[in-house]
Amino acid sequence: MNVQARDEEGVREVERAYDRAWAAADVDGLVGFFTQDAVVVNPRGEVARGVAQIRDALAGFLGGPARGSLHVGRILRIEFVTEDIAVVDGEATIHVPGSPSETSITHLFTDVLARSRGAWRIAHVRAYAVYAP
């Protein structure tokens, strides 16, 4: 496996592991995917800066309207800006089983991942307004 293929697989694994942690409602696990100074902009334009705010936002969402939900990310494109910075464009669907209408919402996203000490971490998330697929 060449270096770029290995790096791409590492980035893809972060996204897959994020989905698994979401399904387990593992807020600490989710926060572990972020850099300490990460920024998350959700589809409503709300901003969380740093892991404490990200933890609070995720705990509130997974403990409230998204309780019991599944997050399914689909990577559409990965670009390496440098060997340690990757930009990921994708689509995420949040499905809430058992909700009155089996609610699913889908949004596009861009993640910026940074590699530090051999591990990929999410430094920035920009989740765009929700759309109906």
Side-chain angles (χ1 to χ4, degrees), residues 42-78:
N42 73 21
R44 293 179 304 277
E46 300 163 342
V47 180
R49 289 183 172 81
V51 292
Q53 287 184 9
I54 294 168
R55 177 180 282 111
D56 290 348
L58 286 168
F61 191 57
L62 290 173
R67 182 184 305 274
S69 66
L70 301 174
H71 182 281
V72 179
R74 185 168 69 96
I75 293 175
L76 303 174
R77 180 185 193 131
I78 300 173

Side-chain angles (χ1 to χ4, degrees), residues 11-72:
V11 168
R12 287 181 183 282
E13 180 52 30
V14 169
E15 299 290 344
R16 288 190 298 263
Y18 188 93
D19 288 350
R20 291 190 301 269
W22 184 291
D26 180 2
V27 174
D28 288 333
L30 288 166
V31 170
F33 293 111
F34 291 93
T35 62
Q36 289 297 307
D37 58 351
V39 175
V40 174
V41 181
N42 73 21
R44 293 179 304 277
E46 300 163 342
V47 180
R49 289 183 172 81
V51 292
Q53 287 184 9
I54 294 168
R55 177 180 282 111
D56 290 348
L58 286 168
F61 191 57
L62 290 173
R67 182 184 305 274
S69 66
L70 301 174
H71 182 281
V72 179

